[in-house]
Amino acid sequence: MTDSPTDIATALMISAAEVACIVLLFRPLESLIPAEHWPDRRFARIDRFYTLLKYFGVLPIFVYLLFQPAVFEIGRLFGDSGSGADGPSSLISLQELLPWLRGHDVVQFVIYFALFDLVYYLIHRLQHAVPWWWALHSLHHSQRQLNCWSNDRDHYLDDLFELLIITGVSYVIGVQPVDYALLIVLGDLVQIFSHANVRVRFGKVLDKILVDPVYHRHHHMVIDPERPHLHDCNFALVFPLWDILFGTALYGEKRHPCGVDDPAIDADNEKSFLGQQWAGLQRFWNALRGRQTAADQPERLA
């Protein structure tokens, strides 16, 4: 078993550094080189609350500690030959599958990062394709003023489903707690910047390697009635490679307004944090019961 208090403290310290990066770097860049000029940031303010609550809340810690004893017991039932005195640390070990990784921690971390991002890409496609999941995920896309705090504007049930999958994968492949925290935070930093209201492009080569704000802004565009499937694009969170491989990459498009064209979802912008969470839950419940309105239908079918 891991030293949970130490791991939790480490995760919180990294989260504090991440918030500092937003405040000291990304937010000033939005003032210096904005992609869109807004008369005020009224709709963006609630996103800051989402970010602070998520980074210093209990959801990520709870999910990780919940899975640890569960996977420990599963591994013991399967008689994991790699068990130590405290039991198995994973169901699958990359070092056992690829023995040459031993002693190459950086390479192993990069492989973990790529695997995590592929899982995130697949989850993201499902969030747009599955009606009940879109009912939750649509809260994230209702933001008209896409900004450096918007990455964490999510329904908490949506976050829980995502974290359960990601945390489960981390245990299956044996990611250690500190590596897990670094994987999440490094991915978040790329995603936070990709949501920022800045007119920044990485160039014709680097933008095929790493998601930039221009690339991801296309994913948040309002539907173009003349090209209704144009926004079924750019689902990758860190590496555009997945969009390129699966045919969902969009480059060279002009900038479009962000948000959704469904008034019932767009109304999230006039609600409080609790109001947004409740509205998302109502959409989710209606989708589960098959009582779908326009607001419950997936706007972005993958």
Side-chain angles (χ1 to χ4, degrees):
M1 304 292 282
T2 61
D3 185 2
S4 298
T6 300
D7 296 334
I8 292 172
T10 300
L12 290 176
M13 289 176 61
I14 295 174
S15 293
E18 186 173 355
V19 171
C21 189
I22 299 173
V23 173
L24 299 176
L25 179 58
F26 299 153
R27 180 63 189 91
L29 282 175
E30 289 189 329
S31 297
L32 291 172
I33 48 174
E36 296 181 84
H37 293 273
W38 305 320
D40 60 62
R41 293 175 60 92
R42 180 168 69 93
F43 297 123
R45 292 169 190 155
I46 195 171
D47 294 355
R48 181 173 62 238
F49 177 78
Y50 272 100
T51 298
L52 296 177
L53 185 61
K54 183 180 295 185
Y55 285 168
F56 300 108
V58 299
L59 185 61
I61 295 171
F62 168 77
V63 173
Y64 196 84
L65 296 181
L66 173 69
F67 263 72
Q68 180 168 332
V71 175
F72 174 83
E73 292 299 328
I74 293 173
R76 188 172 64 175
L77 288 175
F78 278 87
D80 189 344
S81 59
S83 301
D86 294 326
S89 59
S90 66
L91 301 181
I92 299 173
S93 170
L94 283 184
Q95 291 189 6
E96 291 180 0
L97 294 176
L98 304 171
W100 58 269
L101 280 177
R102 296 185 187 278
H104 297 83
D105 293 341
V106 174
V107 176
Q108 180 174 273
F109 185 84
V110 171
I111 293 175
Y112 281 147
F113 204 0
L115 289 174
F116 264 52
D117 198 51
L118 174 59
V119 174
Y120 270 121
Y121 173 85
L122 297 174
I123 290 173
H124 200 181
R125 293 289 298 269
L126 290 174
Q127 286 170 322
H128 286 257
V130 178
W132 60 261
W133 212 341
W134 168 250
L136 296 170
H137 188 63
S138 58
L139 169 59
H140 178 71
H141 282 270
S142 65
Q143 177 58 274
R144 304 170 195 165
Q145 295 181 334
L146 200 64
N147 66 91
C148 62
W149 302 100
S150 294
N151 182 54
D152 297 301
R153 175 198 175 102
D154 299 314
H155 196 282
Y156 270 26
L157 193 55
D158 186 9
D159 278 345
L160 180 59
F161 292 144
E162 184 178 290
L163 276 169
L164 286 172
I165 295 171
I166 291 298
T167 308
V169 169
S170 76
Y171 272 108
V172 167
I173 63 177
V175 179
Q176 297 303 308
V178 172
D179 287 340
Y180 173 85
L182 287 173
L183 286 167
I184 298 299
V185 170
L186 288 176
D188 277 352
L189 284 173
V190 176
Q191 293 175 60
I192 290 166
F193 185 59
S194 71
H195 284 83
N197 180 40
V198 294
R199 55 178 187 273
V200 172
R201 297 192 63 175
F202 291 161
K204 292 185 178 181
V205 175
L206 190 55
D207 69 359
K208 307 298 189 301
I209 300 172
L210 203 63
V211 168
D212 65 26
V214 172
Y215 183 87
H216 191 68
R217 189 164 287 262
H218 294 332
H219 178 68
H220 280 263
M221 72 173 75
V222 176
I223 286 180
D224 183 344
E226 296 182 0
R227 296 178 292 174
H229 296 290
L230 184 67
H231 59 287
D232 296 337
C233 68
N234 300 7
F235 293 90
L237 302 182
V238 175
F239 302 121
L241 169 67
W242 310 123
D243 280 312
I244 295 170
L245 287 177
F246 293 104
T248 54
L250 176 65
Y251 289 97
E253 181 67 22
K254 67 178 183 179
R255 188 173 67 246
H256 293 259
C258 296
V260 293
D261 68 345
D262 191 309
I265 299 176
D266 182 68
D268 287 347
N269 291 294
E270 304 297 339
K271 295 180 172 66
S272 65
F273 166 76
L274 291 178
Q276 289 179 352
Q277 294 295 305
W278 178 246
L281 196 61
Q282 288 179 309
R283 293 196 292 264
F284 170 71
W285 181 244
N286 286 336
L288 281 182
R289 297 180 64 187
R291 296 170 54 186
Q292 295 178 326
T293 64
D296 302 315
Q297 295 287 351
E299 186 191 8
R300 294 166 170 79
L301 287 173

